[in-house]
Amino acid sequence: MLTVNAYAATSPTDPLVPTTITRRDVGPRDVLIEIAYAGVCHSDIHTVRGDWGPITYPQVVGHEVAGTVLEVGAGVTTHAVGDRVGVGTIVNSCRECDNCRAGEEQYCLEGNTQAYGSVDRDGTITQGGYSTHVVVDEDFVLRIPEALDFSKVAPLLCAGITTYSPLRHWRAGPDRNVAVVGMGGLGHLAVKLAHAMGAEVTVLSQSLSKRDDGVRFGADAYYATSDLATFDQLANSFDLIINTVSAPIELDAYLRLLRRDGTLVSVGAPPEPLPVAVFSLFGNRRSFAGSSTGGLAETQEMLDFCAEHGIEPETELIDAADINDAWKRVLSSDVRYRFVIDAASLAVTDER
Ligand code: NAP
Ligand code: ZN
Ligand code: ZN
């Protein structure tokens, strides 16, 4: 086993602290990755705070990993030492259920193994990417296209695929009006991706403070949801609304913005249930849906799409020691637009 540096949560509320964890020996189908960058997703915070249910501590989170292959098992054919690779939210699945066979491992009927907080096949709890190394089955390791900036690519592994997948499924493209609610980590990538797919893109943010950025990312229009007139002005206008907000929103108000047969997809995951009045769905035959990350093949497709269209996350590189401040800024919607931990700063935690 390999002992590696990491930052871990020890309770729902205490700051993350430097620690060491172990990674399993490299099995025949495993890839040992030296982590270079790890993105900071709002899900990391929800998980540690117990928003989605109790967890076991200590827990290392992080499911947006970019790194370099250090070693491969004897049976590995798809990755080689020195390759630039990525790991996202899923590190294993049953591979046999209907959903796995369809390439939708995110919906594995046996329950997939998440990058952190899941019971692994050896019975241990998986530990995530705020760390220097990770060992992952080759089938769950993605290739990072050369054209993408290595230091910026990590957030695509969760924020990118989580927005790409519903945009594709609900056919964002020319002649489709897409709204993105919340312009944080997921939201800013949703804007870039929907624009690249050819859709007309509108941002619905709490205020107009990030409007210039939104337009730079490809938004055609930008509205403040704090201004109630927005909801009158935009009634019956969108084919698709992607809700990326980490807190509850008033669904009925947003559903009324959908035109006939439009769909509001929530990818934001607040702990509270979101009530819906059925009459908001009756009008215009609207749908309310959810979507979870994406399968492995679709994640690779998304990375290749981003390389082709020059789409990169807007990132702020931080040292691991700055993680607690970064989390505070995420919680106050003060993120521009994704924090990424420089894993080189983790290599020195022993000396602190
Ligand atoms: P984030 O960077 O914090 O972005 C969330 C954005 O929502 C904020 O930037 C803010 O945008 C808006 N917002 C926050 N609090 C709000 C409030 N009280 N009222 C209205 N708007 C608010 O978070 P993220 O990393 O993008 O993640 C967003 C959500 O998606 C989280 O709940 C996360 O757990 C979830 N998620 C789900 C999946 C999935 O598979 N479905 C995958 C990844 C993440 P404005 O300032 O522009 O208003
Ligand atoms: Zn995430
Ligand atoms: Zn399965």
Side-chain angles (χ1 to χ4, degrees):
M1 278 198 301
L2 190 63
T3 300
V4 303
N5 290 340
Y7 256 72
T10 57
S11 87
T13 47
D14 288 314
L16 306 195
V17 289
T19 186
T20 57
I21 55 171
T22 54
R23 299 298 192 185
R24 68 171 180 262
D25 287 331
V26 179
R29 296 179 51 94
D30 281 336
V31 176
L32 169 62
I33 299 164
E34 179 175 31
I35 298 174
Y37 302 100
V40 176
C41 180
H42 205 122
S43 299
D44 303 345
I45 306 175
H46 286 306
T47 300
V48 162
R49 293 181 135 206
D51 284 352
W52 300 332
I55 65 160
T56 306
Y57 302 92
Q59 176 69 61
V60 176
V61 292
H63 55 203
E64 294 181 337
V65 162
T68 307
V69 175
L70 267 193
E71 189 184 329
V72 295
V76 170
T77 56
T78 46
H79 305 284
V81 171
D83 285 356
R84 287 181 167 186
V85 293
V87 181
T89 61
I90 310 167
V91 294
N92 215 336
S93 74
C94 86
R95 301 152 197 251
E96 285 171 0
C97 72
D98 276 359
N99 291 347
C100 283
R101 282 179 190 277
E104 308 264 27
E105 296 90 352
Q106 73 277 33
Y107 304 122
C108 174
L109 297 171
E110 302 294 317
N112 58 44
T113 309
Q114 295 276 301
Y116 56 78
S118 270
V119 180
D120 212 345
R121 282 173 299 177
D122 60 8
T124 60
I125 302 288
T126 54
Q127 303 290 331
Y130 296 6
S131 165
T132 56
H133 299 76
V134 65
V135 176
V136 181
D137 184 290
E138 66 168 328
D139 293 341
F140 293 80
V141 176
L142 286 309
R143 294 182 307 281
I144 295 190
E146 276 297 317
L148 293 173
D149 182 338
F150 197 36
S151 71
K152 295 188 169 188
V153 75
L156 294 178
L157 277 305
C158 173
I161 184 60
T162 300
T163 48
Y164 182 88
S165 186
L167 286 168
R168 278 285 186 234
H169 184 78
W170 280 277
R171 295 185 281 92
D175 303 325
R176 305 274 282 174
N177 266 337
V178 175
V180 176
V181 189
M183 201 173 75
L186 268 59
H188 90 287
L189 285 168
V191 173
K192 290 188 178 204
L193 290 165
H195 174 69
M197 290 173 190
E200 182 90 2
V201 185
T202 298
V203 176
L204 303 175
S205 180
Q206 292 167 96
S207 76
L208 296 178
S209 64
K210 297 180 281 191
R211 183 186 200 154
D212 291 348
D213 287 345
V215 170
R216 182 161 56 86
F217 302 156
D220 301 284
Y222 200 107
Y223 290 85
T225 53
S226 53
D227 180 357
L228 290 182
T230 292
F231 291 89
D232 288 332
Q233 271 173 285
L234 298 177
N236 308 311
S237 13
F238 301 110
D239 299 291
L240 177 61
I241 300 176
I242 307 278
N243 167 31
T244 74
V245 176
S246 48
I249 61 167
E250 203 200 316
L251 279 183
D252 295 312
Y254 289 86
L255 284 166
R256 286 193 284 271
L257 306 186
L258 290 171
R259 61 193 296 258
R260 182 162 47 82
D261 293 329
T263 303
L264 165 57
V265 184
S266 269
V267 291
E272 302 85 354
L274 300 182
V276 184
V278 288
F279 292 99
S280 308
L281 297 169
F282 290 177
N284 276 345
R285 195 166 47 201
R286 301 173 176 117
S287 300
F288 175 50
S291 184
S292 179
T293 60
L296 271 295
E298 192 174 43
T299 305
Q300 189 64 56
E301 177 190 305
M302 176 275 309
L303 288 167
D304 296 341
F305 178 90
C306 287
E308 189 188 329
H309 293 270
I311 295 175
E312 284 171 341
E314 307 283 317
T315 57
E316 190 170 332
L317 201 60
I318 58 167
D319 284 352
D322 299 327
I323 188 63
N324 295 299
D325 288 334
W327 276 26
K328 280 184 202 145
R329 284 184 53 195
V330 172
L331 286 167
S332 56
S333 300
D334 178 23
V335 54
R336 302 287 185 279
Y337 283 84
R338 198 62 145 185
F339 291 107
V340 171
I341 298 170
D342 182 348
S345 66
L346 274 160
V348 296
T349 46
D350 282 346
E351 285 126 51
R352 275 207 191 100

